[in-house]
Amino acid sequence: MSVFITNSRSETVALGSRLAQTLCGGTLVLFTGGLGAGKTAFCEGIAQGLGCIDPVSSPTFAVANYYRGSQPFAHFDLYRLQTVEDLEIAGFYDYLDQGAIVAAEWSENFAQLLTKEKAVRVDIEQIDQNSRKITIEGASL
Protein backbone atom coordinates (compact mmCIF):
# COMPACT_ATOMS: atom_id res chain seq x y z
CA MET A 1 0.00 0.00 0.00
CA SER A 2 1.26 3.47 -0.93
CA VAL A 3 -0.02 6.79 0.37
CA PHE A 4 0.41 10.07 -1.50
CA ILE A 5 -0.58 13.65 -0.78
CA THR A 6 -1.39 15.82 -3.78
CA ASN A 7 -1.81 19.56 -3.39
CA SER A 8 -3.52 20.45 -6.67
CA ARG A 9 -5.70 18.99 -9.38
CA SER A 10 -2.67 18.82 -11.70
CA GLU A 11 -0.73 16.77 -9.12
CA THR A 12 -3.70 14.37 -8.83
CA VAL A 13 -3.81 14.02 -12.63
CA ALA A 14 -0.04 13.42 -12.70
CA LEU A 15 -0.33 10.67 -10.08
CA GLY A 16 -3.02 8.99 -12.20
CA SER A 17 -0.70 9.15 -15.20
CA ARG A 18 2.07 7.60 -13.12
CA LEU A 19 -0.22 4.75 -12.06
CA ALA A 20 -1.18 4.16 -15.71
CA GLN A 21 2.42 3.22 -16.46
CA THR A 22 2.05 0.18 -14.16
CA LEU A 23 -1.26 -1.12 -15.57
CA CYS A 24 -1.71 -3.84 -18.15
CA GLY A 25 -4.73 -4.69 -20.28
CA GLY A 26 -7.68 -6.15 -18.39
CA THR A 27 -6.77 -4.42 -15.12
CA LEU A 28 -9.60 -3.27 -12.88
CA VAL A 29 -9.06 -0.05 -10.90
CA LEU A 30 -11.59 0.44 -8.09
CA PHE A 31 -12.11 3.91 -6.67
CA THR A 32 -13.58 5.01 -3.36
CA GLY A 33 -13.92 8.57 -2.17
CA GLY A 34 -16.60 11.17 -1.62
CA LEU A 35 -18.22 13.54 -4.04
CA GLY A 36 -15.64 15.96 -5.41
CA ALA A 37 -12.70 13.98 -4.02
CA GLY A 38 -10.88 13.88 -7.37
CA LYS A 39 -11.72 10.47 -8.80
CA THR A 40 -12.39 11.84 -12.29
CA ALA A 41 -9.21 13.96 -12.20
CA PHE A 42 -7.24 10.84 -11.29
CA CYS A 43 -8.93 8.99 -14.19
CA GLU A 44 -7.97 11.84 -16.51
CA GLY A 45 -4.38 11.12 -15.55
CA ILE A 46 -4.81 7.41 -16.20
CA ALA A 47 -6.19 8.20 -19.67
CA GLN A 48 -3.26 10.51 -20.39
CA GLY A 49 -0.77 7.92 -19.19
CA LEU A 50 -2.39 5.27 -21.39
CA GLY A 51 -2.17 7.50 -24.46
CA CYS A 52 -5.94 7.89 -24.86
CA ILE A 53 -6.99 10.43 -27.47
CA ASP A 54 -10.51 11.25 -26.26
CA PRO A 55 -11.27 13.99 -23.72
CA VAL A 56 -12.06 12.65 -20.24
CA SER A 57 -15.29 13.56 -18.50
CA SER A 58 -17.24 12.27 -15.54
CA PRO A 59 -19.34 9.23 -16.41
CA THR A 60 -22.03 10.23 -13.88
CA PHE A 61 -24.88 10.52 -16.38
CA ALA A 62 -23.55 8.17 -19.07
CA VAL A 63 -22.64 5.44 -16.53
CA ALA A 64 -19.61 4.56 -18.70
CA ASN A 65 -17.19 6.46 -20.91
CA TYR A 66 -14.82 4.71 -23.29
CA TYR A 67 -11.55 6.34 -24.31
CA ARG A 68 -9.65 5.18 -27.38
CA GLY A 69 -5.88 4.94 -27.50
CA SER A 70 -2.97 2.56 -27.64
CA GLN A 71 -4.47 1.02 -24.50
CA PRO A 72 -8.28 1.36 -24.36
CA PHE A 73 -9.74 2.69 -21.12
CA ALA A 74 -13.32 2.30 -19.84
CA HIS A 75 -14.40 4.64 -17.04
CA PHE A 76 -17.51 3.68 -15.03
CA ASP A 77 -19.61 5.46 -12.42
CA LEU A 78 -21.28 2.78 -10.30
CA TYR A 79 -23.24 5.23 -8.15
CA ARG A 80 -26.61 4.66 -9.85
CA LEU A 81 -26.13 0.97 -10.68
CA GLN A 82 -27.72 -1.48 -8.29
CA THR A 83 -27.42 -5.06 -9.53
CA VAL A 84 -24.99 -7.42 -11.21
CA GLU A 85 -27.32 -7.30 -14.21
CA ASP A 86 -26.83 -3.51 -14.35
CA LEU A 87 -23.05 -4.09 -14.56
CA GLU A 88 -23.49 -6.65 -17.31
CA ILE A 89 -25.84 -4.46 -19.34
CA ALA A 90 -23.37 -1.56 -19.08
CA GLY A 91 -20.64 -3.80 -20.51
CA PHE A 92 -18.48 -3.74 -17.39
CA TYR A 93 -17.15 -7.30 -17.79
CA ASP A 94 -17.05 -7.09 -21.59
CA TYR A 95 -14.51 -4.26 -21.42
CA LEU A 96 -12.33 -6.27 -19.03
CA ASP A 97 -12.57 -9.36 -21.23
CA GLN A 98 -11.56 -7.26 -24.26
CA GLY A 99 -8.38 -6.14 -22.48
CA ALA A 100 -9.33 -2.57 -21.63
CA ILE A 101 -8.22 -0.94 -18.40
CA VAL A 102 -11.47 -0.48 -16.44
CA ALA A 103 -11.83 2.17 -13.74
CA ALA A 104 -14.88 2.14 -11.49
CA GLU A 105 -15.84 5.14 -9.38
CA TRP A 106 -18.10 4.49 -6.36
CA SER A 107 -16.92 0.88 -6.22
CA GLU A 108 -18.10 0.67 -2.62
CA ASN A 109 -21.64 0.29 -4.03
CA PHE A 110 -20.59 -3.17 -5.23
CA ALA A 111 -18.19 -3.96 -2.39
CA GLN A 112 -19.52 -7.48 -1.81
CA LEU A 113 -19.13 -8.45 -5.46
CA LEU A 114 -15.91 -6.60 -6.23
CA THR A 115 -13.91 -7.71 -3.18
CA LYS A 116 -13.45 -11.01 -5.00
CA GLU A 117 -11.91 -9.28 -8.03
CA LYS A 118 -8.17 -8.86 -8.39
CA ALA A 119 -7.89 -5.09 -8.65
CA VAL A 120 -5.90 -1.98 -7.99
CA ARG A 121 -7.72 -0.05 -5.27
CA VAL A 122 -7.52 3.73 -5.06
CA ASP A 123 -9.06 5.66 -2.17
CA ILE A 124 -9.11 9.44 -2.44
CA GLU A 125 -9.75 11.50 0.66
CA GLN A 126 -10.27 15.25 0.38
CA ILE A 127 -8.08 17.05 2.92
CA ASP A 128 -9.04 20.57 1.89
CA GLN A 129 -10.09 22.40 -1.28
CA ASN A 130 -6.87 21.50 -3.13
CA SER A 131 -5.20 18.68 -1.20
CA ARG A 132 -5.95 14.96 -1.38
CA LYS A 133 -4.70 11.89 0.47
CA ILE A 134 -4.54 9.09 -2.09
CA THR A 135 -4.04 5.51 -0.97
CA ILE A 136 -3.19 2.92 -3.65
CA GLU A 137 -3.23 -0.83 -3.05
CA GLY A 138 -2.35 -3.51 -5.57
CA ALA A 139 0.19 -1.53 -7.62
CA SER A 140 3.73 -0.35 -6.92
CA LEU A 141 4.62 3.23 -7.79
Side-chain angles (χ1 to χ4, degrees):
M1 175 172 55
S2 301
V3 178
F4 303 88
I5 302 295
T6 60
N7 294 302
S8 66
R9 184 180 194 288
S10 63
E11 287 182 13
T12 300
V13 171
L15 185 59
S17 182
R18 187 171 156 199
L19 176 65
Q21 303 306 308
T22 71
L23 303 176
C24 59
T27 299
L28 178 59
V29 183
L30 300 176
F31 285 88
T32 54
L35 187 64
K39 298 179 294 288
T40 298
F42 198 96
C43 286
E44 181 181 328
I46 292 174
Q48 287 177 5
L50 295 174
C52 295
I53 58 173
D54 300 310
V56 174
S57 62
S58 173
T60 298
F61 298 106
V63 177
N65 291 332
Y66 181 76
Y67 308 112
R68 299 166 295 154
S70 54
Q71 173 60 64
F73 178 45
H75 180 197
F76 282 81
D77 184 321
L78 304 183
Y79 188 79
R80 295 183 294 133
L81 301 183
Q82 299 178 359
T83 66
V84 173
E85 290 77 24
D86 290 342
L87 285 178
E88 291 171 356
I89 289 167
F92 188 81
Y93 296 107
D94 293 334
Y95 286 116
L96 284 170
D97 291 343
Q98 294 168 8
I101 304 293
V102 174
E105 297 187 20
W106 300 102
S107 67
E108 59 269 34
N109 290 357
F110 284 87
Q112 293 285 72
L113 175 67
L114 297 176
T115 54
K116 299 172 187 175
E117 298 286 339
K118 182 179 177 197
V120 174
R121 299 177 192 292
V122 179
D123 180 68
I124 305 178
E125 180 183 335
Q126 187 171 357
I127 298 170
D128 59 33
Q129 184 174 350
N130 297 311
S131 301
R132 305 293 186 265
K133 177 183 175 187
I134 301 173
T135 305
I136 301 174
E137 294 181 60
S140 298
L141 297 183

